[in-house]
Amino acid sequence: MGTVKHYLQFKDLGREEYDYLFDRSRRIKDMFKSYQQYWPLTDRTLVMIFEKASTRTRLSFEAGMQQLGGSAIYLNTRDSQLGRGEPVEDAAQVISRMSDIVMIRTFEQEIIERFAANSRVPVINGLTNEYHPCQIMADIFTFIEHRGPIQGKTVAWVGDSNNVCNTWLQAAEVLDFNVHVSTPPGYEVEAERAGLYGTDHFEQFADPMDAVKGADLVTTDVWTSMGFEAENEERMRDFADWQVDGEMMRAAGKDAVFMHCLPAHRGEEVSAEVIDGPQSVVWDEAENRLHVQKALMEYLLLGRVGN
Ligand code: CP
Ligand code: NVA
């Protein structure tokens, strides 16, 4: 099943493919906004497998597939055989014989890789412990909409070096921009876990105020990701000085945009003043999940189509 194209991490696609996908996302978004019917995926079925909670990912994939003329089926661990120990390889064989494309949100990246290795159809990563590529595709599309090309720009990541952070780091290598990361001691980026080729696109800063200085985009995420709830109390203490607040946004500069993949916790990783303030583009960011994922599904199933 080696010829099927999957999207398991950001670096599965190259710069030229992203340029195409961002153009396509723009076109697909315009069609959606002007109520133009566009059904290139008629009769195609997306299966969505969730082993963790979701609002945006489920909504954007399900609505997106329907808007492209196809249908979507939701499976979760609780009421399917997936939660009862059926081997992931067996599940992949069966699910991929009955569908055209699969999206999975799960724990270890290794699980989605085993699924993909046994799938006859494209598999998309809807978040793992290590990565969240669809999120960063949407974030970069949002940045382009607001500020133009991301090449050569600086993204400041303040907080946990989690799945979303790892994906920003991969994206910086693929699309040639810089990431400044500031985490509390003990939570630094692990380059190998992030799947990086080198370290020349990112720099770590002990002080978050240094990381955000002059950044074009400031972003953060929850201090405790899904699956790590047991560490919550300790993390609340360790991350207390890593809240993105008004002072940090002022250090970044007035042209910097603020992003957060959501769901957010006001008063923890971000102040209400920032997420609800004029530099925040979080609602555009959330909406763009829909448009970029429609472009991605179209690309994985049909290849390049005319613009
Ligand atoms: N940002 C994101 O993936 O949100 P959900 O967890 O709601 O899907
Ligand atoms: N880092 C967060 C992202 C949620 C969309 C998590 O994995 O829970």
Side-chain angles (χ1 to χ4, degrees):
M1 296 169 214
T3 56
V4 183
K5 202 167 178 61
H6 303 294
Y7 189 57
L8 306 181
Q9 47 183 305
F10 197 90
K11 66 184 181 189
D12 285 349
L13 298 176
R15 163 101 182 251
E16 220 236 315
E17 287 173 300
Y18 282 110
D19 287 345
Y20 166 79
L21 284 169
F22 294 137
D23 280 352
R24 236 4 243 167
S25 303
R26 174 79 260 148
R27 176 81 188 106
I28 285 172
K29 183 171 181 175
D30 288 346
M31 284 193 275
F32 175 74
K33 295 286 181 187
S34 58
Y35 298 95
Q36 271 182 60
Q37 208 174 68
Y38 179 57
W39 288 355
L41 302 185
T42 309
D43 289 336
R44 307 288 181 116
T45 304
L46 163 72
V47 171
M48 306 181 295
I49 302 170
F50 283 92
E51 299 208 86
K52 294 176 179 172
S54 167
T55 298
R56 279 144 288 266
T57 303
R58 177 179 178 181
L59 256 177
S60 52
F61 270 104
E62 188 163 343
M65 193 52 166
Q66 283 174 16
Q67 289 162 16
L68 293 173
S71 55
I73 295 173
Y74 171 80
L75 290 180
N76 66 31
T77 315
R78 201 175 50 252
D79 50 22
S80 69
Q81 299 290 6
L82 294 162
R84 301 185 60 253
E86 180 167 16
V88 68
E89 290 79 4
D90 294 4
Q93 290 281 355
V94 174
I95 291 167
S96 72
R97 282 177 184 231
M98 298 191 198
S99 62
D100 299 283
I101 189 162
V102 177
M103 181 247 97
I104 306 181
R105 168 167 286 195
T106 186
F107 293 90
E108 289 78 26
Q109 180 71 10
E110 188 228 337
I111 298 174
I112 196 168
E113 288 183 355
R114 281 165 50 209
F115 191 104
N118 290 276
S119 173
R120 295 183 166 199
V121 302
V123 177
I124 297 173
N125 183 343
L127 180 147
T128 57
N129 289 352
E130 288 84 356
Y131 306 119
H132 197 1
C134 295
Q135 182 67 53
I136 302 309
M137 206 193 292
D139 291 7
I140 293 172
F141 180 63
T142 308
F143 185 85
I144 294 168
E145 284 188 322
H146 284 268
R147 294 286 185 272
I150 197 158
Q151 278 72 34
K153 302 285 191 204
T154 298
V155 175
W157 176 274
V158 176
D160 189 18
S161 64
N162 62 14
N163 41 12
V164 180
C165 175
N166 286 342
T167 310
W168 270 116
L169 294 170
Q170 277 201 359
E173 292 192 341
V174 176
L175 299 179
D176 197 18
F177 58 92
N178 307 304
V179 186
H180 290 178
V181 181
S182 181
T183 67
Y187 295 91
E188 291 87 357
V189 170
E190 294 165 38
E192 200 181 322
R193 188 158 187 264
L196 302 183
Y197 303 118
T199 52
D200 46 343
H201 287 82
F202 94 95
E203 206 177 325
Q204 305 216 59
F205 293 81
D207 184 342
M209 290 301 277
D210 292 334
V212 299
K213 228 163 264 162
D216 301 284
L217 190 172
V218 177
T219 186
T220 186
D221 186 13
V222 291
W223 290 338
T224 306
S225 286
M226 291 181 281
F228 297 85
E229 289 79 3
E231 300 171 15
N232 193 41
E233 226 172 278
E234 195 183 339
R235 284 170 170 266
M236 289 299 136
R237 281 194 302 273
D238 293 347
F239 283 82
D241 294 333
W242 271 260
Q243 179 186 97
V244 178
D245 57 13
E247 197 191 340
M248 260 187 218
M249 289 309 293
R250 279 187 289 279
K254 64 174 176 17
D255 290 333
V257 291
F258 173 76
M259 290 192 196
H260 189 308
C261 64
L262 307 177
H265 300 83
R266 287 168 177 76
E268 293 179 18
E269 74 275 6
V270 62
S271 67
E273 175 196 5
V274 168
I275 195 169
D276 300 321
Q279 286 168 276
S280 172
V281 295
V282 296
W283 311 126
D284 288 344
E285 180 188 4
E287 177 191 324
N288 282 335
R289 293 289 302 280
L290 174 70
H291 310 303
V292 300
Q293 288 163 196
K294 285 166 78 175
L296 177 67
M297 289 191 285
E298 181 192 61
Y299 181 59
L300 293 177
L301 287 171
L302 305 180
R304 288 184 194 223
V305 298
N307 245 321

